[in-house]
Amino acid sequence: MTTRLADHLTIGQVAQRSGVPHTALRFYEDRGLITSQRSSGNQRRYPRSVLRRIAFIRAAQRVGLSLDEIGSALDTLPHDHAPTKADWARLSRDWRDELDARIDALQRLRDQLTGCVGCGCLSLKACGLHNVDDRLSQFGPGAPLLKPASEGGLK
């Protein structure tokens, strides 16, 4: 289904309505997260449904999802028309396990840092983050004590 460009929003209108700077919109487009059509003057024109995609992108970024993860999710939505409520619900269901794992990791981080006095650590014997002689390097990069088990973390 093709819509008239007159029914589309300019990049300035999208920036104003979404609260996302022009530069970020162009970046999202370069990454394939959103799409636009070009006017006869080669100006970007966005379908109104782009506002929902941008809101989704921003919400997903706020919970710590990468742009690659966000892009993979958005790729499951239709490209020829605005996603329906059912499309968004399916995407939500698909992400539930990932979000649950992230919530678990944040809760474990909160719980493990409760007794922490900040690094310069005065409690190295009890510190859940202390890594004597880099013994945790065998579990890969990052902080394996804070990663969810689904990402190779240790419980």
Side-chain angles (χ1 to χ4, degrees):
M1 173 174 91
T2 305
T3 57
R4 298 177 320 131
L5 283 181
D7 296 333
H8 284 58
L9 302 170
T10 65
I11 194 169
Q13 291 169 320
V14 172
Q16 182 179 22
R17 296 269 312 271
S18 67
V20 174
H22 303 116
T23 52
L25 295 173
R26 287 190 287 273
F27 177 75
Y28 291 163
E29 193 169 347
D30 289 345
R31 294 289 305 258
L33 300 174
I34 61 175
T35 59
S36 68
Q37 296 177 357
R38 296 296 180 135
S39 70
S40 59
N42 202 31
Q43 296 174 335
R44 289 176 168 86
R45 296 289 188 259
Y46 297 91
R48 291 183 186 283
S49 61
V50 78
L51 295 171
R52 182 161 292 191
R53 288 176 79 92
I54 293 167
F56 174 80
I57 292 165
R58 299 300 280 200
Q61 286 179 306
R62 276 194 286 280
V63 299
L65 296 169
S66 72
L67 289 179
D68 288 338
E69 291 168 312
I70 295 167
S72 294
L74 290 173
D75 284 344
T76 69
L77 297 174
H79 295 283
D80 59 342
H81 63 275
T84 64
K85 183 178 178 180
D87 293 325
W88 288 111
R90 178 185 37 76
L91 190 149
S92 257
R93 276 191 313 275
D94 292 348
W95 266 13
R96 185 170 182 87
D97 290 341
E98 175 63 27
L99 292 174
D100 285 344
R102 288 175 185 267
I103 290 167
D104 176 61
L106 287 170
Q107 288 174 332
R108 285 187 295 107
L109 174 61
R110 178 201 61 211
D111 294 346
Q112 290 178 14
L113 292 180
T114 299
C116 185
V117 292
C119 281
C121 200
L122 302 176
S123 58
L124 288 178
K125 290 182 182 176
C127 181
L129 303 176
H130 187 58
N131 184 10
V132 178
D133 298 325
D134 198 25
R135 71 187 189 288
L136 298 176
S137 65
Q138 64 182 323
F139 299 104
L145 295 172
L146 298 178
K147 289 181 186 176
S150 64
E151 293 179 18
L154 307 172
K155 285 225 175 189

